[in-house]
Amino acid sequence: MKVAVVGTGYVGLVVGACLAEAGNDVIGADLDEAKIAGLSANRLPIYEPGLEPLVVRNRRDGRLQFTTDVAGAIEHSDIVFIAVGTPPDEDGSADLRHVLAVARTIGEHMNCPKTVITKSTVPVGTAAKVRAEIATLTKQPFHVCSNPEFLKEGAAVEDFMKPDRVVVGVDSPEAARVLEELYAPFVRTGNPLIFMDIRSAEMTKYAANALLATRISFMNEIANLCERVGADVDQVRRGIGYDRRIGHHFLFPGVGYGGSCFPKDVKALLRAGTEQGVPLDVLEAVEAANERQKRVLFEKLRRHFDGRLAGAGVAVWGLAFKAETDDVRESPALVLVEELLRAGAQVRVHDPAAHDTARRVLGDRVTYAGHAYEALDGADALAIVTEWLEYRNPDFDRIKQLLARPLIVDGRNLYDPERLARLGFTYDSIGRRSICASS
């Protein structure tokens, strides 16, 4: 099938590469000349495991190409994905300017019947707006569908190639047949291709992310209470996770959610509730709890330093909002670093993938370490924010030798508190008893 994917950001690039891998003729189109030049030279603008080999292989085999000629890509294709960004507006609502601009371009270059698919995360009713924009500019027949993405950063290729489910909003049997053929290679193992009306598909994306965000904030608040009353959140998590109504997923406490999806989508859903006069009190609490949680590590560090962080050296492991990505948008690590800098601390940071993206925000106000252990030399504390695999089983003797003070504040509960106590560390994690070096 001939497919155009307009937008070569995180979602568009993954969608285009994976569809090409399934044998489709895919054009990734974007107005960003530097990005397209890089992609045409196999330089990816994001870090995502498994994505680069797909891009390289499918470009080599002629199934994937990139262009700044958006109009030409649309004219060449029978299926057009809209995968441009929908950043939050000042009021929290999704900014649809880019989506509707693409719709107008599609209408202007509708040289034959096409199926238009909104892949961007958009509010309920956006497909109708896309349809209206196109219809004012063409007499050609076309279909508009909603196909929300459920890709986890760090596992996006796997999620697309072997999805839990594919949700498609359609309003015609013809559009359903096109999407069924397009996604047939990805649901061969029996995971469902779920057809529904377009508005329900648009809502499904927001509802899914809002519920996941709710689980995260709920467990973070339970963890904070566990610390106060002397309970262990890891035991609590296991105790509730075996309830089949609850399950084990998204019950790990931490330092709050970040990234490109959860914060933006929660805000957009809250804005939709306000516009429709529907109170969303639970989501308001979820958002407030998340903002508080992002300060937890800083507050722990401040307590350990008796409120005097000026001049202290703090090493921070992890800048990306989660492991296996270089995305620092809404990252709790950046909140921690900014608070430490404001308090006068000297901050050294390490991340396996996110130095370049973090530097755009932090500039040269911090020291970037080429290796995790380099960040520790002479530091007064280590703060762990991102659960990268290389941080999970480090050389604790080396850590203790490098740190001026054996203090670890762990926002991901990577280590066993009793083991750290035996090794002589002061170890403070999330929802568990703090272990002091002297105890």
Side-chain angles (χ1 to χ4, degrees), residues 130-392:
V130 168
R131 187 193 310 278
E133 290 284 349
I134 296 173
T136 61
L137 296 165
T138 184
K139 298 297 184 182
Q140 289 279 0
F142 65 94
H143 301 285
V144 174
C145 311
S146 173
N147 175 215
E149 55 86 13
F150 300 98
L151 306 177
K152 299 187 296 293
E153 292 192 47
V157 172
E158 179 77 6
D159 285 346
F160 194 97
M161 300 299 284
K162 300 176 182 178
D164 294 332
R165 82 291 199 199
V166 178
V167 172
V168 180
V170 296
D171 59 5
S172 71
E174 295 83 357
R177 283 194 291 270
V178 171
L179 272 294
E180 189 172 28
E181 180 180 348
L182 184 67
Y183 278 108
F186 306 102
V187 294
R188 294 180 64 190
T189 58
N191 287 340
L193 177 59
I194 305 173
F195 288 103
M196 60 182 68
D197 66 88
I198 291 174
R199 285 177 175 264
S200 295
E202 291 172 330
M203 179 58 79
T204 297
K205 167 65 174 181
Y206 282 107
N209 278 356
L211 184 56
L212 294 172
T214 299
R215 287 174 69 102
I216 292 171
S217 283
F218 174 80
M219 282 308 298
N220 285 339
E221 292 209 317
I222 292 297
N224 295 339
L225 184 57
C226 283
E227 284 189 38
R228 190 64 59 89
V229 302
D232 185 326
V233 73
D234 283 345
Q235 296 183 45
V236 173
R237 173 178 57 80
R238 288 195 294 271
I240 66 175
Y242 281 101
D243 187 323
R244 285 175 293 179
R245 297 167 300 176
I246 297 173
H248 296 282
H249 297 295
F250 275 75
L251 294 183
F252 290 90
V255 287
Y257 59 78
S260 63
C261 293
F262 289 1
K264 174 175 70 69
D265 292 352
V266 168
K267 284 182 172 62
L269 200 52
L270 284 169
R271 181 61 186 174
T274 299
E275 291 174 350
Q276 298 299 322
V278 178
L280 297 176
D281 297 340
V282 171
L283 277 189
E284 288 183 359
V286 165
E287 185 177 50
N290 191 60
E291 291 306 307
R292 288 194 301 270
Q293 196 69 17
K294 289 183 177 183
R295 290 180 51 87
V296 163
L297 285 191
F298 175 74
E299 295 299 337
K300 287 178 178 291
L301 284 166
R302 185 162 65 175
R303 286 197 298 271
H304 284 289
F305 284 85
D306 297 323
R308 296 186 291 273
L309 280 163
V314 179
V316 175
W317 278 4
L319 295 168
F321 84 95
K322 62 180 288 188
E324 302 299 335
T325 181
D326 63 350
D327 193 344
V328 299
R329 286 174 287 184
E330 302 283 347
S331 173
L334 299 190
V335 175
L336 171 62
V337 170
E338 293 288 1
E339 292 283 1
L340 288 170
L341 292 173
R342 195 174 296 117
Q346 298 175 347
V347 183
R348 308 175 192 178
V349 300
H350 175 265
D351 190 284
H355 279 185
D356 290 342
T357 50
R359 195 185 296 271
R360 297 169 196 161
V361 180
L362 300 174
D364 295 326
R365 293 178 293 153
V366 301
T367 300
Y368 299 88
H371 191 281
Y373 294 107
E374 290 178 18
L376 304 179
D377 194 8
D380 298 295
L382 166 62
I384 301 171
V385 192
T386 313
E387 67 277 25
W388 283 97
L389 190 60
E390 69 176 77
Y391 301 155
R392 290 181 178 269

